Amino acid sequence: MQNSQRAEVQVSTRVDPKLVLTSTLLQMTQVELEQAVEAELAENPALEVMEQEQEPLDEDTIADQLLLRAGARYSFAEDTVPTKPYDPDDSQDWTDFVVAPVSLADHLRAQLLPMLPERLHALGANVVDAVNDRGYLDMQVEELALSFDATMEDVEEVLEKLQQCEPAGVGARDLRECLLIQLRQMPSEPVRDLALHMVADCWEEFTKQRYSRIGRRYGARPFVVQAAASMVAHLNPFPGEAFRAEWDHFSPSPAPSVTPDVVIRRTDNGYEVEIRGFDPSALTINERYRRLHQQRDRLSSDERSHVVQYVDRAQNFIASIQQRRRTVRRIVDYLLQTQSGFIATGSYRFLRPLTRMQLAREIGVHESTVSRATMGKFVQLPSQEVVPFEVFFKPALRVQKAIEEILRHENPGCPLSDERISKMLKEQGIEVARRTINKYRERLNILSSRRRRA
């Protein structure tokens, strides 16, 4: 009889809770950050604002806090953080439960780039940046090739892979293509196959609900045609909407109520940058908790766990806010160097093509860090115009704004044709086809030159 022993080594990864907290605070807007600070001040007795005088806590008070916090909850936002009662014997950090939302661009890059050869990674990131908030591609293949110095074949290869990503339908150039992408990803069966033909080959009949014609064309019974039409009607026309935050709606003229997260002012000595939001220098550790933390070996087990947990939590919170300000400042400093023409004048003709990947590489951070630091945030230019950070990274917005600017200064008695606008943009170094001008003009609810003249 032989005895055998077998040793197994298991390796597991655990995300650093401090990084989770830093990522979450980085993504917050100014208003959200202030709310998070207020929530943390209310939840954490070890954290305080220096201007406020706090009544010293003794050991009895700490013991009472232990009981009070037995059912306490911590949350940055309603329904985003699971409830966790305080357990002095539980060593798990509270920031394990902080959820950092993922943007549509982050979600797509995470899927697309591994599917592409390394030589197409930069192009893939640029194509993702050309996808709008609803999940549609804002630029044609020709525009993408011209804008990013790529071949048509490479752009088409990237686009083909992009349209295989989730959510289904993303990367489409119009509604019809969006529906076709979703149908093609479904398992083949009679109703789905008829729905595919309905959208691909009978689009006009489908949009006019001429189902009897479609049924006769494919020899399908009325109830099968109705089932196919119902399947199409239940598809998602805007696949990107699930990733779109309530505050993340770009409009050409942001509402006056928008609060800028960054303010850039022109001074005699150059530019002055103000990062708005709660100043971490105003936060500090409660002096009583600081002393108890230094003397924690003299405390009981429950008191020591309580003091260590909340002091460490306060220190991580302050450090994360400091890191947030440093990251945003580095991004703004880089934009001041590379987009000085646009920042100084507010004219979109001076806006140079830039991607989050390029910016991240230049300042030495991960691309997702740049995405979180800029997503949903606004910057006030020296001209007092407030614009979303998104304008620096979306090539389609640059084109749209340039068209708006040209039309704003046109002669009402002699309106500019789409062809003429295309030539004027080319003089500014922006290659845009006439049909693209037509698309943007319709999106802006601007009539054709003939109807504007009338």
Side-chain angles (χ1 to χ4, degrees):
M1 201 170 175
Q2 295 180 345
N3 293 327
S4 62
Q5 294 181 340
R6 184 177 64 179
E8 293 185 359
V9 178
Q10 293 185 345
V11 179
S12 61
T13 59
R14 180 173 181 270
V15 178
D16 187 351
K18 296 179 182 178
L19 296 179
V20 177
L21 175 61
T22 301
S23 174
T24 302
L25 294 179
L26 179 64
Q27 187 157 315
M28 290 180 177
T29 62
Q30 173 190 341
V31 174
E32 292 169 330
L33 179 64
E34 291 173 353
Q35 293 173 348
V37 172
E38 290 297 325
E40 180 66 3
L41 286 168
E43 293 288 336
N44 191 344
L47 183 68
E48 67 179 15
V49 179
M50 285 193 296
E51 290 75 8
Q52 299 176 346
E53 294 184 3
Q54 302 288 337
E55 185 177 349
L57 297 178
D58 53 24
E59 284 79 357
D60 292 336
T61 305
I62 294 176
D64 292 338
Q65 289 278 4
L66 286 173
L67 296 175
L68 290 173
R69 298 188 181 281
R73 300 183 179 191
Y74 181 85
S75 173
F76 279 125
E78 184 179 0
D79 298 333
T80 59
V81 184
T83 300
K84 181 187 179 186
Y86 170 69
D87 182 354
D89 296 325
D90 187 355
S91 60
Q92 192 165 22
D93 198 298
W94 64 276
T95 53
D96 286 339
F97 297 94
V98 178
V99 179
V102 178
S103 68
L104 175 63
D106 287 339
H107 183 68
L108 294 178
R109 278 190 288 267
Q111 299 175 77
L112 176 63
L113 297 188
M115 293 193 290
L116 298 174
E118 188 173 354
R119 69 180 182 84
L120 294 181
H121 280 192
L123 178 60
N126 289 329
V127 172
V128 167
D129 280 336
V131 175
N132 65 29
D133 296 330
R134 291 188 165 186
Y136 285 82
L137 192 68
D138 270 338
M139 303 175 70
Q140 297 297 324
V141 172
E142 298 88 346
E143 292 178 74
L144 290 166
L146 285 170
S147 298
F148 304 115
D149 194 24
T151 65
M152 296 278 288
E153 291 75 14
D154 284 346
V155 174
E156 288 170 351
E157 179 180 349
V158 171
L159 182 57
E160 179 186 356
K161 297 296 184 183
L162 174 65
Q163 293 181 349
Q164 296 173 16
C165 295
E166 292 292 335
V170 75
R173 285 156 287 189
D174 54 41
L175 175 61
R176 187 179 184 183
E177 186 176 30
C178 178
L179 300 177
L180 285 172
I181 292 171
Q182 295 178 61
L183 288 169
R184 286 167 181 155
Q185 293 182 11
M186 294 181 178
S188 177
E189 50 92 17
V191 173
R192 172 267 185 187
D193 293 345
L194 179 58
L196 187 61
H197 286 299
M198 187 181 290
V199 176
D201 306 321
C202 307
W203 182 248
E204 184 175 354
E205 286 83 356
F206 170 70
T207 57
K208 294 180 179 178
Q209 299 184 356
R210 295 172 178 170
Y211 299 144
S212 58
R213 292 188 183 184
I214 297 175
R216 289 195 299 270
R217 178 172 179 177
Y218 294 101
R221 295 183 177 182
F223 74 89
V224 177
V225 178
Q226 287 291 341
S230 178
M231 175 179 286
V232 175
H234 283 82
L235 298 176
N236 185 359
F238 305 119
E241 287 287 344
F243 291 83
R244 195 177 188 187
E246 293 180 359
W247 33 258
D248 190 23
H249 292 269
F250 172 79
S251 61
S253 300
S257 60
V258 170
T259 302
D261 300 270
V262 177
V263 176
I264 302 176
R265 301 184 182 90
R266 193 197 309 273
T267 68
D268 294 337
N269 298 322
Y271 289 107
E272 177 185 278
V273 177
E274 176 189 356
I275 309 297
R276 292 194 170 175
F278 201 92
D279 186 352
S281 63
L283 296 173
T284 187
I285 307 298
N286 178 278
E287 184 59 32
R288 182 62 175 170
Y289 270 83
R290 191 191 303 276
R291 288 199 300 268
L292 289 172
H293 188 267
Q294 294 171 350
Q295 303 170 3
R296 55 188 177 275
D297 293 340
R298 302 179 186 178
L299 303 176
S300 67
S301 176
D302 285 355
E303 291 173 337
R304 182 168 56 254
S305 297
H306 173 83
V307 170
V308 170
Q309 178 191 12
Y310 283 104
V311 170
D312 288 351
R313 171 172 159 173
Q315 291 174 338
N316 291 341
F317 192 82
I318 295 172
S320 295
I321 297 179
Q322 292 171 336
Q323 180 62 41
R324 176 186 184 276
R325 292 177 73 89
R326 286 194 295 267
T327 301
V328 174
R329 180 58 194 253
R330 291 174 65 189
I331 291 173
V332 174
D333 286 344
Y334 182 80
L335 293 177
L336 283 170
Q337 295 175 15
T338 58
Q339 304 286 3
S340 57
F342 169 68
I343 292 174
T345 65
S347 174
Y348 287 81
R349 63 181 299 181
F350 297 110
L351 194 59
R352 299 170 57 187
L354 178 67
T355 66
R356 290 183 176 88
M357 178 180 290
Q358 289 175 307
L359 195 154
R361 184 169 57 246
E362 291 295 327
I363 67 175
V365 299
H366 194 272
E367 183 180 355
S368 63
T369 299
V370 175
S371 178
R372 290 186 173 91
T374 57
M375 185 171 60
K377 297 184 179 67
F378 292 81
V379 55
Q380 180 176 306
L381 304 178
S383 64
Q384 304 301 308
E385 181 183 4
V386 178
V387 299
F389 269 101
E390 200 74 8
V391 301
F392 292 102
F393 310 109
K394 288 284 188 181
L397 292 181
R398 176 192 180 212
V399 176
Q400 180 175 316
K401 282 291 189 177
I403 294 172
E404 282 185 74
E405 192 169 339
I406 288 174
L407 292 176
R408 192 181 303 120
H409 296 94
E410 75 171 351
N411 182 356
C414 185
L416 299 170
S417 66
D418 293 343
E419 185 66 32
R420 176 56 183 154
I421 294 173
S422 176
K423 292 179 179 179
M424 294 175 69
L425 289 174
K426 187 174 182 180
E427 294 171 0
Q428 298 179 16
I430 304 175
E431 295 276 355
V432 184
R434 184 195 59 78
R435 63 179 178 275
T436 304
I437 304 294
N438 180 273
K439 179 183 70 173
Y440 284 131
R441 180 172 49 72
E442 291 180 349
R443 183 181 299 171
L444 295 169
N445 296 320
I446 298 175
L447 300 176
S448 65
S449 58
R450 180 178 58 84
R451 297 184 66 183
R452 294 203 303 278
R453 180 180 295 109

